[in-house]
Amino acid sequence: MTIKDDPFRCFVPYPEAPVKSAPTGPLAGLTLAVKDLFDVKGYPTGAGSPIVLAQSGIKAKTAPLVKTLLDAGARFVGKTHTDELAFSMTGKNAHFGAPINPAAPDRITGGSSSGSMAAVAGKLADIALGSDTGGSVRAPASYGGLFGIRPTHGRLSLKRVWPLAESLDTPGWFARDGKTFARVADVVFGKDRTALSETPRLLLAEDMFAQAVPDAENALRNVVQRAMPVLGEPETVKAARDLDALYWAFRWVQGRDAWNADGAMIERYAPPLGPGVAERFAFSKSVSDEEVAKADSVRKAFRNRLAKLLGSDGVLILPTVPDIAPLVSASEGELEDFRNRALRLLCLSGLSGFPQVTIPAAHRAEAPLGLSLIGPKGSDKSLVHFAVKFERAARIRIA
């Protein structure tokens, strides 16, 4: 992908190398972009970091998940930008710049799968792989008016993928339309361990809707109302007993895992880290064993609560993020405040390990806004198909 062909600055400008894909298959005819955390044979893997890129070398093997998509017929078109070491949700990389949000150019793409979102929203790729630790597929998908997924933790391979937080990391992907989104799910997922029925129980998380700003909350409630004649009326529930406790448990788990992944490299080479990223790694280094133990207890209790709430046939409905994407002109402090608010919504799937799909649901102030569905552990494929059905039922249209 050349600079001339990349008006949204979403691709890393690596020298092109041939990447083989099957001439036929269930994904034949679709183009594929890949976040620069995944190894692709013939390319380096930079992870949004000059020091990682300098040490990478050209990879001799391709990450298994990427190969699965290539073997299904998807055609590789390039590697996409990521936030530095995948430890941000703004899409701004202090070393390599920021992709442009095709759906709202005055607003951020979100991260860390910023380039993957921009490639799909900008119609430069039909599907794009990203990764999701704290919301790095779900938030950008919401900001760009796309379908996006965080699968059940551990269900899809992360072999030959640069890690951020092992106990939270998942791969994920973006698509503009439900049919394409579901085609990928049919390729990467085998039979669901917990398959949802055609008409699952719908549970509207009242406490999570309260986390959205009023205009966003109203817009998303209207989406649910539009879907009700087809899908039925949801039961109102409370998803969390103590949302602040979940937020801090997530931060402590992510911090400890992130320092385990990157701390030795940071201390050895002292690379200049960008705004926000530097502060998050400093926080990560400071997380204590006592905080980790407390986080593990909170995490286990919440996972059990959510499992009981969903059972084998429940789907939780909640906003993906509190509002539309922040403005590009927002200060670092404003972006960090928004990130912390967003984590209170995004941490549910991360802490539980349950799958979450975000669908392009609404617009506010001429920018997209996503609605999310969380299903039982192992319900990924059926959750994707239900999400497509939900989107159709609500007659959602993205301009």
Side-chain angles (χ1 to χ4, degrees), residues 94-183:
H95 312 288
F96 301 108
I100 297 168
N101 183 344
D106 60 336
R107 296 182 180 275
I108 64 171
T109 54
S112 61
S113 305
S114 55
S116 290
M117 181 279 263
V120 175
K123 300 182 179 179
L124 302 179
D126 297 312
I127 53 178
L129 276 181
S131 65
D132 190 304
T133 302
S136 291
V137 168
R138 291 164 291 159
S142 180
Y143 299 162
L146 302 176
F147 288 85
I149 182 172
R150 176 194 167 88
T152 297
H153 185 262
R155 182 154 184 184
L156 298 181
S157 173
L158 280 171
K159 188 176 181 181
R160 300 193 181 98
V161 181
W162 188 269
L164 172 60
E166 184 179 3
S167 71
L168 298 167
D169 291 346
T170 66
W173 71 91
F174 301 87
R176 287 186 299 277
D177 64 272
K179 182 178 179 181
T180 302
F181 189 59
R183 283 171 70 181

Side-chain angles (χ1 to χ4, degrees), residues 230-247:
V230 176
L231 302 178
E233 185 170 353
E235 175 189 352
T236 299
V237 298
K238 185 176 181 181
R241 286 196 179 95
D242 185 343
L243 197 50
D244 283 342
L246 295 185
Y247 166 82

Side-chain angles (χ1 to χ4, degrees), residues 20-92:
K20 291 183 180 180
S21 61
T24 60
L27 301 182
L30 298 180
T31 51
L32 167 68
V34 176
K35 185 177 183 177
D36 194 25
L37 299 182
F38 294 78
D39 288 356
V40 175
K41 183 179 179 180
Y43 287 81
T45 297
S49 163
I51 194 72
V52 174
L53 180 58
Q55 297 179 89
S56 168
I58 300 300
K59 300 303 182 183
K61 294 184 178 181
T62 294
L65 183 57
V66 178
K67 191 172 187 305
T68 295
L69 300 179
L70 296 172
D71 290 347
R75 180 172 62 86
F76 176 80
V77 292
K79 299 195 80 177
T80 54
H81 282 294
T82 174
D83 287 6
E84 186 175 9
L85 298 170
F87 208 0
S88 179
M89 291 204 306
T90 67
K92 295 183 175 184

